[in-house]
């Protein structure tokens, strides 16, 4: 795990976008794992800027999104299909034929999940997977208690996640109760992971993921076992980390990872 503490949200977004752009330039047919939520929005904005101003080319990229709510059609404003379109896809030259997002309307959910896993394999696996982290330590919709070896499947959202996500809906009652999500094992198979966190409300989850024991109760803690997991967090999200040297290094104008754990 490579921990990188940067000043703020903008710096976090630039850092992650730079990493993705770098990998994309060396492999135009990159297989990119994408996340939704508020955290990666700045990364998508920066990648869009690079596409427009620097000609960053997404035409050969294949994408796989982490998750989707069960029961929301793609056109629904809160579906992750819609989110990805608005936040990223319609602003860059991604070929829609290469876009994969779990189908929350699938009639055979189990069959769909097996197909999704197979499709990732067929494309040679995910090169770079972007991740956010829930305040309870979840990654994708793998809530605390999820098996660390799990694969793509249907999961029940916890009350905490429903509450956290209610801000995007009219009320908590409207938040779907189930989601299709890549499993923790699926995520861990990606060659590189980029976990992002911003704000003090993520500080405890970041501390538990980075410094705590590896446990299914903090799904993100499994990243400690990944050889190329970059954890890019802003100062607020790093504020509960106990390693003194992390704070001392904060703010250095370098793009090198600050702490190897
Ligand atoms: C979204 C996802 C979730 C979010 C997490 C953090 O695809 O997989 O795990 O990354 O809930 O959400 P935000 O970024 O909104 O705080």
């Amino acid at each position: 795990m490579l921990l990188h503490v940067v000043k703020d949200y903008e710096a976090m977004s630039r850092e992650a976008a730079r990493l993705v752009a770098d990998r994309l330039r060396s492999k135009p047919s990159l297989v990119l794992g994408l996340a939704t939520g508020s955290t990666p929005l700045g990364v998508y904005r920066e990648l869009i800027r690079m596409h427009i101003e620097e000609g960053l080319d997404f035409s050969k990229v294949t994408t796989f999104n982490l998750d989707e709510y069960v029961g929301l059609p793609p056109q629904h404003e809160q579906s992750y299909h819609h989110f990805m379109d608005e936040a990223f896809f319609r602003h860059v030259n991604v070929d829609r034929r290469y876009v994969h997002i779990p189908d929350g309307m699938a009639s055979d959910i189990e069959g769909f999940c097996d197909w999704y896993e197979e499709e990732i394999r067929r494309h040679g696996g995910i090169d770079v997977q972007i991740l956010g982290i829930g305040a309870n330590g979840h990654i994708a919709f793998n809530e605390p208690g999820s098996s660390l070896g799990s694969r793509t499947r249907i999961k029940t959202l916890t009350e905490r996640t429903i509450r956290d996500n209610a801000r995007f809906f009219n009320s908590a009652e409207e938040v779907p109760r189930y989601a299709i999500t890549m499993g923790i094992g699926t995520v861990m198979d990606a060659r590189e992971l980029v976990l992002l966190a911003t704000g003090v409300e993520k500080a405890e989850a970041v501390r538990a993921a980075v410094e705590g024991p590896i446990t299914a109760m903090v799904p993100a803690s499994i990243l400690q076992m990944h050889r190329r997991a970059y954890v890019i967090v802003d100062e607020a999200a790093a504020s509960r980390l106990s390693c003194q040297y992390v704070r001392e290094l904060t703010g250095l104008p370098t793009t090198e990872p600050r702490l190897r754990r």
Side-chain angles (χ1 to χ4, degrees), residues 1-6 133 195 197 200 202-212 224 231-248 250 258-259 261:
M1 177 184 274
L2 297 162
L3 176 67
H4 192 175
V5 182
V6 294
I133 181 170
L195 183 132
V200 70
K202 297 292 174 70
E204 182 48 33
V206 167
R207 189 204 59 73
V210 172
E211 294 182 350
Q224 294 176 35
V231 177
I232 308 174
V233 301
D234 66 9
E235 287 179 357
S239 58
R240 298 247 171 89
L241 291 173
S242 63
C243 331
Q244 192 54 42
Y245 48 106
V246 171
R247 290 199 203 107
E248 282 167 11
T250 296
R258 305 284 163 73
L259 172 64
R261 283 184 49 84

Side-chain angles (χ1 to χ4, degrees), residues 118-171:
E118 185 50 41
E119 197 65 1
I120 294 173
R121 261 193 303 276
R122 204 174 64 77
H123 283 86
I126 293 172
D127 291 307
V128 183
Q129 174 68 57
I130 295 174
L131 296 168
I133 181 170
N136 61 7
H138 73 219
I139 47 174
F141 271 124
N142 296 286
E143 300 285 16
S146 296
S147 160
L148 296 178
S150 51
R151 312 303 306 186
T152 303
R153 68 214 184 292
I154 185 168
K155 285 291 287 178
T156 310
L157 275 51
T158 61
E159 281 308 316
R160 172 81 192 257
T161 299
I162 290 171
R163 229 173 33 239
D164 286 350
N165 291 4
R167 66 188 193 277
F168 301 113
F169 293 80
N170 292 325
S171 68

Side-chain angles (χ1 to χ4, degrees), residues 248-259:
E248 282 167 11
L249 289 169
T250 296
L252 288 180
T254 167
T255 59
E256 289 307 304
R258 305 284 163 73
L259 172 64

Side-chain angles (χ1 to χ4, degrees), residues 34-41 44 65-68 80 83-84 129-136 138-143 161 164-165 167-168 181 196-198 201-202:
L34 298 172
T36 57
S38 24
T39 311
L41 282 173
Y44 298 145
N65 261 81
L66 287 170
D67 42 19
E68 176 60 287
Y80 288 172
F83 176 99
M84 287 308 302
Q129 174 68 57
I130 295 174
L131 296 168
I133 181 170
N136 61 7
H138 73 219
I139 47 174
F141 271 124
N142 296 286
E143 300 285 16
T161 299
D164 286 350
N165 291 4
R167 66 188 193 277
F168 301 113
T181 179
L196 306 170
T198 178
E201 53 291 343
K202 297 292 174 70

